[in-house]
């Protein structure tokens, strides 16, 4: 395998058949030893977080495949914390797309003058640039189009896919008595230009609550696998 990229929570390797292998790590984002899915830095290590994240990712990606929603997922090897994916072209240097059902996290940091913690947001979608130096600034559809990162047509497709995928995850969590507050997704394009979900769907990129209490990533994986 050819190492292509070392990420915060995953390493990426190129395979001979044109696919890529994602190696999930136990590193999670946060600050000062406190987990935060919206943080731009690795804040701590949680033993087993990599495999737990992959297990949830495999579950959700296979649900999406059944619903014929386009993703880069091919297969997963849970024991090795590895996932095989199709190649994708990212938008610019990468975008993060957040779907918010409740006001919390960075939304409150930016808009706390007008918003209340935990208020309903009805699946509000926002896009941020992947830019650690500038703290992942939010960007509008018009600015994305102006800068040649994403056309207005592609933005509309991206937003619709984000809502569709997030609603699927929300419903799956609700079946376990869990409430989704927000989720962060990433997208890329296939060789033919089709927009598809990439990266992962795990406890590390969402905030989920049960009975009003935040659920840590490993606990979320346990709850989702309870019979």
């Amino acid at each position: 395998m050819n190492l292509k990229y070392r990420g915060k929570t995953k390493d990426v390797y190129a395979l001979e058949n044109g696919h890529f292998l994602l190696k999930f790590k136990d590193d999670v984002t946060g600050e000062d030893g406190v987990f935060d899915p919206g943080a731009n830095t690795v804040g701590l290590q949680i033993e087993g977080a990599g495999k737990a994240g992959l297990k949830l990712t495999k579950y959700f990606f296979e649900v999406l495949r059944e619903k014929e929603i386009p993703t880069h997922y091919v297969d997963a090897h849970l024991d090795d914390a590895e996932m095989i994916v199709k190649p994708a072209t990212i938008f610019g240097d990468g975008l993060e797309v957040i779907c918010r059902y409740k006001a919390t996290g960075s939304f409150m940091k930016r808009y706390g003058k007008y918003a209340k913690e935990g208020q309903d947001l009805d699946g509000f979608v926002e896009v941020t640039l992947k830019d650690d130096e500038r703290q992942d600034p939010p960007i509008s559809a018009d600015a994305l189009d102006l800068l040649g990162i994403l056309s207005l047509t592609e933005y509309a497709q991206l937003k619709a896919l984000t809502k569709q995928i997030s609603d699927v995850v929300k419903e799956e969590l609700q079946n376990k008595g869990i409430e989704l507050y927000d989720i962060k997704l990433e997208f890329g394009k296939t060789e033919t230009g089709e927009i598809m979900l990439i990266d992962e769907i795990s406890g590390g990129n969402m905030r989920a609550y049960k009975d009003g209490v935040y659920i840590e990533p490993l606990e979320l994986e346990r709850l989702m696998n309870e019979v």
Side-chain angles (χ1 to χ4, degrees):
M1 296 187 299
N2 179 20
L3 178 65
K4 300 296 290 186
Y5 174 75
R6 289 196 184 277
K8 298 184 185 75
T9 59
K10 292 181 294 298
D11 293 335
V12 181
Y13 297 85
L15 301 177
E16 291 182 354
N17 64 359
H19 288 159
F20 288 84
L21 182 145
L22 307 185
K23 181 74 173 180
F24 283 63
K25 301 187 286 190
D26 287 343
D27 296 334
V28 297
T29 55
E31 294 181 2
D32 301 323
V34 179
F35 169 71
D36 180 358
N40 297 320
T41 57
V42 171
L44 65 159
Q45 282 193 336
I46 301 175
E47 186 177 355
K51 289 184 179 180
L54 176 56
K55 194 169 186 178
L56 265 188
T57 296
K58 178 178 185 291
Y59 173 81
F60 284 123
F61 271 111
E62 290 181 354
V63 170
L64 295 174
R65 182 159 62 187
E66 290 176 3
K67 296 180 180 294
E68 298 183 348
I69 296 173
T71 77
H72 70 163
Y73 177 78
V74 176
D75 198 5
H77 307 137
L78 295 179
D79 290 342
D80 298 320
E82 297 174 350
M83 183 166 75
I84 310 300
V85 301
K86 294 177 285 189
T89 301
I90 62 174
F91 298 100
D93 288 331
L95 302 175
E96 292 181 343
V97 188
I98 302 97
C99 186
R100 301 184 183 276
Y101 295 97
K102 296 283 187 179
T104 192
S106 60
F107 185 90
M108 287 302 299
K109 290 178 183 177
R110 291 197 299 268
Y111 310 123
K113 183 176 180 179
Y114 302 95
K116 293 181 179 179
E117 182 74 31
Q119 80 175 62
D120 290 334
L121 297 179
D122 195 30
F124 170 71
V125 174
E126 63 179 343
V127 178
T128 68
L129 298 176
K130 291 190 75 173
D131 186 341
D132 292 346
E133 183 180 344
R134 296 171 178 80
Q135 299 295 305
D136 294 348
I139 186 167
S140 68
D142 286 342
L144 287 165
D145 182 51
L146 177 69
L147 297 172
I149 299 171
L150 189 74
S151 72
L152 292 175
T153 298
E154 288 173 328
Y155 180 87
Q157 295 170 350
L158 188 81
K159 183 176 179 180
L161 264 179
T162 298
K163 280 283 290 178
Q164 185 181 16
I165 293 165
S166 300
D167 284 349
V168 168
V169 174
K170 185 173 186 285
E171 183 178 355
E172 291 294 320
L173 293 175
Q174 282 179 336
N175 292 337
K176 297 286 188 177
I178 300 168
E179 185 174 14
L180 180 64
Y181 270 41
D182 59 33
I183 183 168
K184 179 173 62 180
L185 304 174
E186 295 188 33
F187 293 86
K189 290 196 292 188
T190 66
E191 293 178 351
T192 59
E194 181 185 25
I195 297 176
M196 63 179 174
L197 180 69
I198 62 173
D199 198 46
E200 64 180 284
I201 304 178
S202 69
N205 64 333
M206 68 176 77
R207 290 186 181 90
Y209 289 70
K210 189 175 180 67
D211 300 324
V213 178
Y214 170 72
I215 306 170
E216 295 285 349
L218 286 175
E219 177 66 5
L220 180 61
E221 188 270 333
R222 186 188 68 78
L223 290 172
M224 288 299 293
N225 284 283
E226 283 185 343
V227 177

